[in-house]
Amino acid sequence: MNRGIEVRELTVRRGDRAVLRDLSFDAPRGKVLALVGASGAGKSTLLRCLNRLAEPAAGTVALDGEDIRAVAPQVLRRRVALVAQAPVMLPGTVADNLAYALDALDDEVRDAALAAAGLDRSFLPRTARALSGGERARVALARALTRDPDAILLDEPTAALDPETAEVIAQTVAALANRDLAVIVATHDMALAESVADATLRLVGAAAGAA
Ligand SMILES: Nc1ncnc2c1ncn2[C@@H]1O[C@H](COP(=O)(O)OP(=O)(O)OP(=O)(O)O)[C@@H](O)[C@H]1O
Ligand SMILES: [Mg+2]
Protein backbone atom coordinates (compact mmCIF):
# COMPACT_ATOMS: atom_id res chain seq x y z
CA MET A 1 0.00 0.00 0.00
CA ASN A 2 1.92 2.99 -1.24
CA ARG A 3 -0.51 5.17 -3.15
CA GLY A 4 -1.23 8.06 -0.78
CA ILE A 5 -2.12 11.29 -2.56
CA GLU A 6 -2.00 11.63 -6.35
CA VAL A 7 -2.62 15.06 -7.89
CA ARG A 8 -3.22 15.36 -11.62
CA GLU A 9 -3.37 18.53 -13.72
CA LEU A 10 -4.70 20.64 -10.91
CA THR A 11 -5.63 24.23 -11.70
CA VAL A 12 -6.88 26.54 -8.98
CA ARG A 13 -8.28 29.99 -9.63
CA ARG A 14 -8.79 32.85 -7.26
CA GLY A 15 -10.86 35.53 -8.90
CA ASP A 16 -9.72 35.71 -12.54
CA ARG A 17 -6.23 34.47 -11.73
CA ALA A 18 -4.83 30.94 -11.84
CA VAL A 19 -2.98 30.49 -8.55
CA LEU A 20 -1.91 26.96 -9.49
CA ARG A 21 -1.87 25.68 -13.05
CA ASP A 22 -1.66 22.14 -14.37
CA LEU A 23 0.06 20.80 -11.30
CA SER A 24 0.71 17.05 -11.07
CA PHE A 25 2.61 15.22 -8.34
CA ASP A 26 2.48 12.22 -6.01
CA ALA A 27 2.75 12.18 -2.23
CA PRO A 28 3.07 8.46 -1.47
CA ARG A 29 2.53 6.91 1.93
CA GLY A 30 5.68 6.49 3.95
CA LYS A 31 7.32 9.58 2.46
CA VAL A 32 7.59 13.25 3.36
CA LEU A 33 7.03 15.75 0.55
CA ALA A 34 8.17 19.31 1.22
CA LEU A 35 6.19 22.06 -0.49
CA VAL A 36 8.28 25.19 -0.90
CA GLY A 37 7.93 28.46 -2.77
CA ALA A 38 7.64 32.17 -2.18
CA SER A 39 4.89 33.73 -0.12
CA GLY A 40 1.76 33.73 -2.27
CA ALA A 41 2.95 30.85 -4.48
CA GLY A 42 -0.06 28.80 -3.46
CA LYS A 43 1.21 26.37 -0.81
CA SER A 44 -1.69 26.82 1.60
CA THR A 45 -4.17 26.88 -1.27
CA LEU A 46 -2.83 23.56 -2.53
CA LEU A 47 -3.05 21.95 0.92
CA ARG A 48 -6.65 23.13 1.18
CA CYS A 49 -7.49 21.48 -2.14
CA LEU A 50 -6.30 18.14 -0.78
CA ASN A 51 -9.08 17.91 1.80
CA ARG A 52 -11.66 19.96 -0.09
CA LEU A 53 -11.48 23.11 1.99
CA ALA A 54 -10.91 24.61 -1.47
CA GLU A 55 -12.12 23.33 -4.84
CA PRO A 56 -9.92 23.37 -7.93
CA ALA A 57 -11.17 24.70 -11.25
CA ALA A 58 -9.79 21.60 -12.99
CA GLY A 59 -7.86 18.45 -12.28
CA THR A 60 -8.17 15.59 -9.82
CA VAL A 61 -6.91 14.59 -6.40
CA ALA A 62 -6.96 10.91 -5.43
CA LEU A 63 -6.38 9.31 -2.05
CA ASP A 64 -5.23 5.69 -2.31
CA GLY A 65 -6.64 5.63 -5.82
CA GLU A 66 -10.06 7.09 -4.97
CA ASP A 67 -11.13 10.51 -6.24
CA ILE A 68 -11.59 12.64 -3.11
CA ARG A 69 -14.82 14.05 -4.51
CA ALA A 70 -16.32 10.60 -3.89
CA VAL A 71 -15.59 10.90 -0.14
CA ALA A 72 -17.85 12.87 2.21
CA PRO A 73 -15.98 15.99 3.32
CA GLN A 74 -16.19 15.16 7.04
CA VAL A 75 -14.77 11.70 6.39
CA LEU A 76 -12.13 13.08 4.05
CA ARG A 77 -10.94 15.60 6.64
CA ARG A 78 -10.27 12.82 9.13
CA ARG A 79 -8.42 10.82 6.50
CA VAL A 80 -6.47 13.84 5.23
CA ALA A 81 -5.71 15.89 8.33
CA LEU A 82 -4.64 19.51 7.88
CA VAL A 83 -2.63 21.07 10.69
CA ALA A 84 -2.91 24.81 10.20
CA GLN A 85 -0.13 27.28 10.78
CA ALA A 86 -1.81 28.87 13.78
CA PRO A 87 -4.01 26.04 15.05
CA VAL A 88 -7.19 26.91 16.86
CA MET A 89 -7.39 25.61 20.41
CA LEU A 90 -10.87 24.93 21.74
CA PRO A 91 -11.86 25.91 25.27
CA GLY A 92 -10.83 23.49 28.01
CA THR A 93 -7.83 21.28 28.54
CA VAL A 94 -5.47 19.58 26.14
CA ALA A 95 -7.36 16.34 26.91
CA ASP A 96 -10.63 18.04 25.87
CA ASN A 97 -9.04 19.24 22.66
CA LEU A 98 -7.77 15.78 21.77
CA ALA A 99 -11.15 14.13 22.41
CA TYR A 100 -13.17 16.86 20.71
CA ALA A 101 -15.99 15.53 18.48
CA LEU A 102 -15.02 11.90 19.12
CA ASP A 103 -17.45 9.50 20.78
CA ALA A 104 -14.56 7.95 22.64
CA LEU A 105 -10.80 8.23 22.64
CA ASP A 106 -8.82 5.25 23.78
CA ASP A 107 -6.12 6.19 26.33
CA GLU A 108 -3.46 4.24 24.46
CA VAL A 109 -4.28 5.90 21.14
CA ARG A 110 -4.27 9.28 22.83
CA ASP A 111 -0.96 8.75 24.60
CA ALA A 112 0.68 7.40 21.44
CA ALA A 113 -0.50 10.48 19.53
CA LEU A 114 0.88 12.75 22.25
CA ALA A 115 4.23 10.97 22.16
CA ALA A 116 4.38 11.11 18.35
CA ALA A 117 3.82 14.85 18.56
CA GLY A 118 6.60 15.29 21.12
CA LEU A 119 4.35 15.76 24.15
CA ASP A 120 3.64 13.66 27.22
CA ARG A 121 0.69 13.03 29.51
CA SER A 122 1.61 15.94 31.77
CA PHE A 123 0.06 18.21 29.12
CA LEU A 124 -3.39 16.62 29.36
CA PRO A 125 -4.78 18.80 32.19
CA ARG A 126 -3.25 22.05 30.87
CA THR A 127 -5.52 24.79 29.57
CA ALA A 128 -5.13 24.56 25.80
CA ARG A 129 -5.54 28.25 25.10
CA ALA A 130 -2.76 29.09 27.56
CA LEU A 131 -0.17 27.04 25.65
CA SER A 132 2.69 28.55 23.69
CA GLY A 133 2.67 28.55 19.89
CA GLY A 134 4.97 25.56 19.69
CA GLU A 135 2.92 23.62 22.24
CA ARG A 136 -0.25 24.41 20.30
CA ALA A 137 1.34 23.18 17.10
CA ARG A 138 2.15 19.91 18.81
CA VAL A 139 -1.34 19.55 20.32
CA ALA A 140 -2.87 20.16 16.88
CA LEU A 141 -0.58 17.49 15.44
CA ALA A 142 -1.52 15.06 18.25
CA ARG A 143 -5.20 15.82 17.68
CA ALA A 144 -4.84 14.99 13.99
CA LEU A 145 -3.01 11.76 14.82
CA THR A 146 -5.75 10.56 17.19
CA ARG A 147 -8.01 10.44 14.10
CA ASP A 148 -5.61 7.89 12.55
CA PRO A 149 -5.33 9.74 9.24
CA ASP A 150 -4.06 8.36 5.94
CA ALA A 151 -2.33 11.63 5.12
CA ILE A 152 -1.23 14.60 7.14
CA LEU A 153 -0.72 18.12 5.79
CA LEU A 154 1.37 20.53 7.82
CA ASP A 155 1.24 24.22 6.95
CA GLU A 156 4.37 26.00 8.18
CA PRO A 157 4.80 23.79 11.25
CA THR A 158 7.93 25.57 12.44
CA ALA A 159 7.01 29.19 11.70
CA ALA A 160 7.55 31.39 14.74
CA LEU A 161 9.13 28.62 16.79
CA ASP A 162 12.47 28.83 18.55
CA PRO A 163 15.19 26.65 16.96
CA GLU A 164 15.02 24.01 19.66
CA THR A 165 11.25 23.55 19.34
CA ALA A 166 11.52 23.66 15.55
CA GLU A 167 14.00 20.79 15.78
CA VAL A 168 11.54 18.76 17.89
CA ILE A 169 8.84 19.36 15.27
CA ALA A 170 11.25 18.44 12.46
CA GLN A 171 12.05 15.12 14.15
CA THR A 172 8.35 14.54 14.74
CA VAL A 173 7.52 15.18 11.08
CA ALA A 174 10.30 12.88 9.88
CA ALA A 175 9.00 10.12 12.17
CA LEU A 176 5.43 10.47 10.86
CA ALA A 177 6.34 8.88 7.55
CA ASN A 178 7.36 5.73 9.44
CA ARG A 179 3.67 5.35 10.30
CA ASP A 180 2.92 4.76 6.61
CA LEU A 181 1.21 8.13 6.29
CA ALA A 182 1.54 10.43 3.30
CA VAL A 183 3.12 13.56 4.79
CA ILE A 184 3.16 16.96 3.07
CA VAL A 185 4.90 19.90 4.74
CA ALA A 186 4.51 23.42 3.38
CA THR A 187 7.40 25.49 4.63
CA HIS A 188 9.69 28.46 4.11
CA ASP A 189 12.18 26.73 6.36
CA MET A 190 14.70 25.25 3.94
CA ALA A 191 16.58 23.56 6.78
CA LEU A 192 13.35 21.78 7.70
CA ALA A 193 12.68 20.83 4.07
CA GLU A 194 16.18 19.46 3.64
CA SER A 195 16.20 17.57 6.91
CA VAL A 196 12.80 15.88 6.63
CA ALA A 197 11.82 15.62 2.97
CA ASP A 198 12.15 12.62 0.69
CA ALA A 199 11.15 14.90 -2.19
CA THR A 200 10.59 18.61 -2.66
CA LEU A 201 7.98 20.35 -4.79
CA ARG A 202 8.70 24.00 -5.53
CA LEU A 203 5.70 26.15 -6.45
CA VAL A 204 6.65 29.12 -8.55
CA GLY A 205 3.19 30.65 -8.81
CA ALA A 206 1.17 30.68 -12.00
CA ALA A 207 1.41 33.82 -14.09
CA ALA A 208 -1.38 36.35 -13.80
CA GLY A 209 -4.02 36.49 -16.49
CA ALA A 210 -5.91 33.88 -18.43
CA ALA A 211 -4.92 30.24 -18.10
N1 LIG B 1 -9.73 33.42 -0.62
C1 LIG B 1 -8.92 34.02 -1.49
N2 LIG B 1 -9.36 34.98 -2.33
C2 LIG B 1 -8.54 35.57 -3.22
N3 LIG B 1 -7.25 35.27 -3.34
C3 LIG B 1 -6.75 34.32 -2.53
C4 LIG B 1 -7.55 33.64 -1.57
N4 LIG B 1 -6.78 32.74 -0.93
C5 LIG B 1 -5.55 32.85 -1.46
N5 LIG B 1 -5.54 33.79 -2.42
C6 LIG B 1 -4.38 34.18 -3.24
O1 LIG B 1 -3.81 33.00 -3.74
C7 LIG B 1 -2.39 33.10 -3.78
C8 LIG B 1 -1.78 31.95 -3.03
O2 LIG B 1 -2.01 32.10 -1.62
P1 LIG B 1 -1.52 31.04 -0.57
O3 LIG B 1 -2.02 31.46 0.76
O4 LIG B 1 -1.89 29.69 -1.04
O5 LIG B 1 0.07 31.21 -0.68
P2 LIG B 1 1.21 30.55 0.21
O6 LIG B 1 2.20 29.95 -0.73
O7 LIG B 1 0.62 29.66 1.24
O8 LIG B 1 1.86 31.83 0.89
P3 LIG B 1 2.57 31.98 2.34
O9 LIG B 1 3.94 31.41 2.16
O10 LIG B 1 2.59 33.45 2.54
O11 LIG B 1 1.74 31.26 3.34
C9 LIG B 1 -2.05 34.47 -3.21
O12 LIG B 1 -1.83 35.35 -4.28
C10 LIG B 1 -3.29 34.85 -2.43
O13 LIG B 1 -3.44 36.23 -2.41
MG1 LIG C 1 0.56 29.72 3.30
Side-chain angles (χ1 to χ4, degrees):
M1 169 58 91
N2 211 337
R3 291 192 74 141
I5 292 175
E6 294 163 302
V7 171
R8 293 293 175 271
E9 296 175 359
L10 197 77
T11 293
V12 181
R13 293 177 190 282
R14 286 285 176 265
D16 59 0
R17 219 166 60 85
V19 173
L20 300 169
R21 189 185 303 171
D22 248 342
L23 184 68
S24 299
F25 67 91
D26 293 344
R29 287 174 176 264
K31 304 281 185 197
V32 178
L33 176 68
L35 199 56
V36 303
S39 187
K43 302 180 296 296
S44 298
T45 301
L46 174 57
L47 293 184
R48 292 165 58 81
C49 287
L50 303 182
N51 72 357
R52 296 187 65 197
L53 287 172
E55 293 292 343
T60 58
V61 178
L63 174 62
D64 292 338
E66 182 179 22
D67 190 316
I68 63 170
R69 289 171 295 192
V71 183
Q74 311 89 293
V75 174
L76 181 66
R77 287 173 201 150
R78 285 195 182 184
R79 293 182 61 192
V80 181
L82 175 64
V83 178
Q85 177 175 342
V88 175
M89 293 291 112
L90 302 162
T93 63
V94 169
D96 296 334
N97 272 259
L98 295 179
Y100 176 75
L102 295 180
D103 294 332
L105 177 57
D106 183 85
D107 282 0
E108 271 180 38
V109 171
R110 181 195 64 194
D111 293 350
L114 277 174
L119 298 171
D120 61 47
R121 291 171 51 90
S122 71
F123 279 86
L124 289 169
R126 305 239 332 240
T127 300
R129 287 182 171 170
L131 298 175
S132 74
E135 291 164 343
R136 286 173 182 229
R138 282 178 278 168
V139 170
L141 182 56
R143 184 164 61 194
L145 292 173
T146 60
R147 274 65 176 169
D148 192 25
D150 299 315
I152 193 152
L153 317 174
L154 300 136
D155 200 352
E156 302 283 1
T158 60
L161 298 187
D162 64 78
E164 204 172 298
T165 311
E167 179 56 30
V168 172
I169 293 284
Q171 288 168 7
T172 304
V173 170
L176 286 177
N178 298 331
R179 300 162 64 102
D180 207 32
L181 290 163
V183 183
I184 304 182
V185 189
T187 185
H188 287 285
D189 180 344
M190 293 312 293
L192 174 71
E194 278 165 25
S195 70
V196 305
D198 297 294
T200 300
L201 177 66
R202 179 176 298 278
L203 299 182
V204 291

